[in-house]
Amino acid sequence: MAKIDRKDVERIIEAVGGKDNIDAATHCVTRLRFALADEGKVDAEALDKNNLVKGQFSSQGQFQVVIGPGIVDQVYDEMIAITGGDRASKDDVKTLASKKQNPLQRAIKTLADIFIPILPAIVMAGLLLGINNILTGPGIFYEGKSLIDVHKQWADVASIINLIASTAFTFLPVLIGWSAAKKFGGNPLLGIVLGLILVNPSLLSAYQYADAKLAGTVPVWNLFGFSVEKIGYQGQVLPVLVSAYILAKIEKFLEKRVHDSIKLLVVAPVALLVTGFLAFILVGPITFAIGNLLTTGLTSIFNSYSWLGGLIYGGFYALLVITGMHHTFLAVDIQLIGSNGGTFLWPMLALSNIAQGAAALAMMFILKEQKAKGLAVTSSISAFLGVTEPAIFGVNVRHKFPFIFGMVGSGIAGIVLAVNNVLASSIGVGGIPGFLSIFPNQWGIFFIGMAIVLVIPFIGTLLYGRYQLSRQTNKIEDTQDPIVNATAESVKTASGLSAVIPQSEEAMNSENTIVNIMAPMNGQIVPLSEVPDPAFSEKQMGQGIAILPSEGKVYAPFDGTVEHLMKKSKHALILSDTNGIQILIHVGINTVSLKGEGFTAHVESGSTITKGQLLLEFDKERIEEAGLPVITPILIPDGQERIGEIKEYDGEAVQGSSPILQVNLEPTTP
C-alpha cells in the first residue's frame, strides 16, 4: 500500500479551515467526514489541487472529502496525529452536523426519517385501494354500475382487498408511533403500543367524529368533573407524532433515574400511563384541531384560487424534491385523506414525476455519449414508475433546461387538476400507475393531465436541446456536443470474453493482459451515475458500475485476497485478484450508519478467497427500512499501476458468472 505524504494531509487540514475549524472528524471506507464550525472557510480550489483528494461535497451538514479506499484510514490517522484531536464516531459527526442545520432543515429531516421507513406500507395500501376502486367504482366498465354489481362473485374478493388496504391507514398511528419513537430515541415497541392506544376499537373512530358531533352523541370520560372526548385518532398524523415525542422523553428521563432492578416494572408502565393521559386530555384535542385547521385552510386556498395553487404546487414540486422538503407534504397528504377523505396534492405529485421522466427521456435523443443515453432511458422509466431522483439529479438538473420544461409541463397539468378538484383516495405509486389512487370518476381529467406532462416536457426538451446542439456545433470546430460530458465516449462490449492471462513472465512484460471481473452479486446492472452519492456517481474515486442486488449476498468475483473489510460496519470490502487488480464493493449508500446491523461477514481482512466464495451477507429489507439505498457501487479505484482501459459490459440482469468489467492491463517494463 502506497505511503502517503504528510504534507498533503496538512494541506487538507488547512484547506478545510484549519484544525480550529474542525469540530469533529471521522471516516468511512472512502472519505473523510467533517463537522466544521464554518464551511465558508473551506478552500475548494486547494482541495482540488491536493494529490490525495478525489472529490469534495457537502451533504446534510457534513463536509465530505473523498480520498478513496485503502488509504483513507491512513490519511485519517495522520490527520489526528497532526491536529491532536480526538477520534470521533460517525454518530458524533452526524450529531454535530445536524446542529449546523437551521430549524426548518432539522424539522424536514426529522419528518423524512419518520415517514420514509413506513412508506412501503403506505404505498402498498394505496395500490391495493386503487385496485379496490376499480372493482367497486360505478361507471368504469358498466354504465351506472360497478364491476362487483354485475359480477357479484368478485364482491368478497373486493372486500378482502379493501380490508388489507385500509388497515395501514386505519392503524396509521401505530406505524407512525413505531417510527417516531425510534427516531426520538425511545423504545419502538412502546411507540407501537401508543399507536394502538390511540386507535383502540373502544374509542369513537375519528372517521365518525363529525357525524357524532352534529348528533351530539360523542362519548366522553368524566375525570373528576372534567369531560374528555372518548375519540380515536385514525388517519391522524399530529397527535401520535407529538405523543411519541413525549413518550420518548419520559422514557429516557426514567431510564436515567430508575434503578436497574425495577426498570421493567416502572419505566414502560409510567411512560405509557402519563403519555396516554396527556394524549387524550391535552395533546390529542389540540393537535386534532390544529390538523383540521391546517387542512381546512389549505383546502379553502385551493377552492378560492385553485389555478394558482395548482400552478405553484404542480410546477414547483420538483424543486421540493431537490431540497428534500417533499417529505413534509407526505404528512399533509395523509392528514387530508384522514380529514377530508381525499388529497388534491398527491395527484399533482404523480404528474410531476411523469413530467421529469418525459424530459429525461427526450434527452436520450439529444445526448451523444452512450452511457448518458442509457442513463436517460433508465432514469425516465424510474420516474414513470414513481422514483424521480435518478431523472432529476442524474439528467435533468445537470442540463437545466429539461428540468425547467418538466416544471412547466407539471405546472400546466397542476392547473388542470386543481381547477377540476381531482382527488386521490390514497397514496400510491407517484407515476403512471398513480391513476389507481385517483377516484375513478376523475380518471378522465387525470389522464388529460398525464398527456400534458408527457407531451410538453418531451417536446420542449427535444426542440430546445436540438436547437442548442445545432448552435454549439456551428461554434465548435470538432463538432463535440457541448451538452454531453466532454470526456471521451466510453466503450462497452456486449460479449463476455474469457480472461486472457499470459502464463509466462516474458508475456506479462510484453503483452497487454485482458482480465474480466465477474459480478459479485446477483441483480440488475446500472451505471454509476445513478448512484445517489456524488463520490460514486461523479467517479471521484474511480471507474466501475453499480448493481441493484436481487438478494443479500456478495460472492468473490475472482481468486485473490481480502485487502480490507470494515470491521464494525461490514458494509464494504476491498478485494485484490492475482494480477494485483483491486476492486471496492460498497453495499448500499450510507449503510455505515447501520453499524453492522443486518450484515454478516464470512471473511476478514487478509483472507484468501476463491471465485464464487460467499464473502458477505446483508439484509436488504433492513437497509430499506432505514431509508437507505441498497444500490451497490463496484469500483476499480484510481491510482493502480498497470491499469489501462476499463470497459463495461452491457446488460441489465447479472449473476455471479456474468462479467461486468473488463480491465486491460498495461504491459510492464522489462
Side-chain angles (χ1 to χ4, degrees), residues 261-283:
S261 61
I262 58 172
K263 275 185 178 179
L264 188 63
L265 299 175
V266 175
V267 176
V270 172
L272 279 172
L273 188 65
V274 174
T275 305
F277 269 89
L278 288 174
F280 288 113
I281 295 172
L282 191 64
V283 175

Side-chain angles (χ1 to χ4, degrees), residues 98-111:
S98 66
K99 293 179 179 178
K100 306 294 182 184
Q101 297 176 315
N102 61 49
L104 178 60
Q105 289 174 320
R106 289 198 294 269
I108 291 171
K109 185 180 184 303
T110 298
L111 282 176

Side-chain angles (χ1 to χ4, degrees), residues 552 569-570 596-603 614-619:
S569 60
K570 305 181 183 68
E597 184 180 347
F599 288 83
T600 302
H602 298 288
V603 292
L614 180 62
L615 306 180
L616 180 70
E617 291 183 271
F618 58 94
D619 187 340

Side-chain angles (χ1 to χ4, degrees), residues 134-215:
I134 293 176
L135 296 175
T136 60
I140 299 177
F141 300 102
Y142 304 98
E143 185 176 354
K145 292 184 178 181
S146 68
L147 189 144
I148 62 173
D149 288 336
V150 178
H151 304 282
K152 298 187 182 299
Q153 66 270 26
W154 286 94
D156 288 340
V157 173
S159 177
I160 294 175
I161 291 174
N162 183 61
L163 174 69
I164 297 171
S166 61
T167 296
F169 288 104
T170 301
F171 294 96
L172 182 66
V174 179
L175 299 177
I176 296 176
W178 164 78
S179 188
K182 185 177 180 181
K183 171 62 181 175
F184 295 136
N187 186 335
L189 292 177
L190 295 185
I192 291 174
V193 176
L194 173 65
L196 289 169
I197 290 171
L198 295 178
V199 294
N200 191 293
S202 64
L203 303 170
L204 173 70
S205 172
Y207 300 125
Q208 301 169 347
Y209 177 73
D211 293 337
K213 190 75 172 178
L214 291 174

